[in-house]
Amino acid sequence: RGSGGWRGGMRPAAPPHEEHDAWGSGRSRDDDDDGERRGPMGGGWRASVAALTHPSSGRQLRLLVAFVLLHNFKPSEPFLVEWLTTPTDGGHVPGMSTRDVYARLFPVFTYSRVPSLIAIALASGAFGPKASVVLGAACALTTVVITALYRRSFFALAASQATVALSFASHHALLGLVFSTVDPEVHPASAHATKAATMASCALSALCGQAMRSWMNAPLAALFVASAIAQLCAVVVATALVPAPGLHPGAPRPFHNGGASSRSSRRGPPVPNPYPTPILGGAWKLLTSGRRRAGIKAWSAWSV
């Protein structure tokens, strides 16, 4: 290529950020037209929709979006306190007092958060993030079933608060599964798609629960049935997700394109990205590595 033309043509050269391929990824003038070294697709709803049909990562991303839509669909959630405090058996068996719900039951969830995060971190490092995602989905289903069937047993409800803490902690493993199983060029779009699906599911489930309760006069039990069905479907979808690559060098990669997973150029052979290290060692290496250390520490502190 000449300095002012494009393969002998009259098209002027453009800076890397002004050239885009069909996926919307920026490409430099040194990139060939065969798809080598494509940059990230970027975020936004257009890129997220396009990523759903990505050749190597589209199926996994569609499963991930379906999972978060189902996993966060709990129309019974806004009515939990009402459910726990409502008398049963025609008013003969009183429900929990509001004070007990907030002073005795909900603190179990609060105190279970840190142990649950540690458990999910260790499980993800030992068995991969998919195992943690499946565990979190099963815990969410267990929470709904226990709350619906055993609302008069404080110990059962306390156990449900521990399982929901595990379910919440598994959300971090889900993001790890996204980044380890989709092509690096669709990382931004995949993160945006899953987060947008999460927010949409939370909003739609709340609206659905309110509509069922206020307009359709549905009993509270019907809302928990709807939540249980959604959580059961989420467990099924979670088992269908592609697992993350193993922690040993011989493990196969879940994608195989010319992006960041196996970059190549005319200057040398393809250089694969390093495989993930175990979670604790990887976190320490990330926090103590190179020129981006200050930025990583700042983001980590902000997240905590």
Side-chain angles (χ1 to χ4, degrees):
R1 294 169 184 153
S3 62
W6 181 263
R7 292 190 175 180
M10 300 303 295
R11 176 179 169 181
H17 66 275
E18 291 183 4
E19 296 184 11
H20 301 273
D21 59 12
W23 293 98
S25 58
R27 301 177 63 186
S28 68
R29 286 178 294 170
D30 291 334
D31 294 343
D32 292 331
D33 288 343
D34 58 3
E36 292 183 348
R37 300 185 67 187
R38 285 191 295 191
M41 289 174 57
W45 70 270
R46 288 187 177 88
S48 299
V49 172
L52 295 174
T53 59
H54 189 272
S56 61
S57 302
R59 178 183 179 275
Q60 176 75 346
L61 183 56
R62 290 192 295 271
L63 287 173
L64 288 165
V65 170
F67 171 76
V68 297
L69 285 172
L70 292 166
H71 182 61
N72 292 281
F73 189 81
K74 302 173 185 175
S76 59
E77 195 80 2
F79 304 93
L80 177 59
V81 175
E82 181 182 354
W83 171 257
L84 296 176
T85 56
T86 300
T88 57
D89 295 335
H92 299 291
V93 179
M96 292 181 65
S97 67
T98 304
R99 177 183 177 83
D100 285 342
V101 171
Y102 285 101
R104 296 179 59 204
L105 182 61
F106 286 171
V108 177
F109 167 76
T110 303
Y111 299 138
S112 300
R113 291 299 301 273
V114 172
S116 297
L117 287 170
I118 295 174
I120 290 296
L122 295 176
S124 298
F127 306 106
K130 177 184 174 178
S132 296
V133 171
V134 175
L135 174 63
C139 286
L141 175 60
T142 302
T143 300
V144 174
V145 172
I146 291 177
T147 306
L149 298 181
Y150 302 102
R151 57 172 166 163
R152 292 297 165 256
S153 170
F154 177 81
F155 294 103
L157 291 175
S160 74
Q161 293 301 296
T163 56
V164 77
L166 277 170
S167 177
F168 272 61
S170 70
H171 296 173
H172 299 284
L174 177 67
L175 194 58
L177 185 63
V178 172
F179 287 140
S180 60
T181 57
V182 302
D183 196 294
E185 74 168 333
V186 296
H187 277 176
S190 300
H192 287 187
T194 52
K195 293 295 184 181
T198 299
M199 296 177 67
S201 180
C202 292
L204 289 174
S205 66
L207 292 174
C208 179
Q210 191 63 49
M212 292 176 64
R213 188 68 176 147
S214 300
W215 299 343
M216 301 172 60
N217 294 322
L220 288 173
L223 276 67
F224 281 89
V225 171
S227 296
I229 292 174
Q231 300 314 302
L232 178 61
C233 293
V235 172
V236 174
V237 174
T239 59
L241 291 168
V242 175
L247 303 180
H248 56 279
R253 300 294 283 178
F255 43 80
H256 52 276
N257 75 340
S261 59
S262 181
R263 294 186 177 181
S264 63
S265 70
R266 293 170 296 176
R267 300 179 181 85
V271 179
N273 280 347
Y275 283 82
T277 57
I279 186 166
L280 296 180
W284 174 255
K285 182 178 180 181
L286 189 64
L287 290 173
T288 58
S289 62
R291 59 181 181 177
R292 298 184 178 179
R293 179 171 55 190
I296 293 172
K297 286 184 176 179
W299 276 110
S300 300
W302 175 87
S303 180
V304 172

